[in-house]
Amino acid sequence: MTYTLADLPMFAGLDDGRLRGLAALSRRRRYPAGQVLCTEGDPAEHLIVLLDGRVKAGRVSAEGREVVLAVEEAPVAFDKTALLVDGPHRATRTAMTAVEVAYVPRSPVLELVAAEPSVAARLLRTLAATVRDLDERLTDAAVRDVPSRVAGWLVRRCAGGRVPLHAGQAGLGAEIGATRVSVNRALRGFERRGMIEIRTGEVVVLDPPALSRLAALPAPDQAS
């Protein structure tokens, strides 16, 4: 499914005229898997909107190791913070599948944020959720062992019972700050205890409450 600008939470509820104006100023492009959409450190001169496909956000450590920060699916807009503060892209984003993107110039986006309180409010909520997610991940890396981190990662993503491993177990490990071997060991342990089933490219969560207890998180049906 290819999305439109209207499908972004920050633009939800905008009148058709505003949306058509933004769309007219945008450049839409299609790229194959493996294409770099933006590079860490480059100026963020556009709001990059993923309309179709899947993208990973990563940074390279001083030792040359890639750290996967997130795997994002359409519809989503990248680096909104950098756009607001006139800063550089904070991560390199690479297409994991064939993608379609829209490049919306910075100036009209900022004008819209200033003119439409509802857009500014939705943008603040989006940024707050991003900060909360980063805070949780930092806390996980600092105080939790690998099994509890893996359990928490699964619990947060198990709506519907199936959790795709888009970047494999190595990608999961990069997101939580663990090695592929330690992630595999944790997943196999969960499987032996009947909490999950490991399949090709995905994990099926069989016992969310048990995983939640292991991760010290609310069970999915109790989360607000």
Side-chain angles (χ1 to χ4, degrees), residues 77-88:
F78 304 136
D79 268 2
K80 295 177 284 293
T81 304
L83 198 76
L84 290 172
V85 300
D86 195 17

Side-chain angles (χ1 to χ4, degrees), residues 12 33 47 59 68 71 163-164 172 177 205:
L47 182 70
R59 303 185 74 175
V68 178
V71 174
V163 183
L172 191 167
V205 176

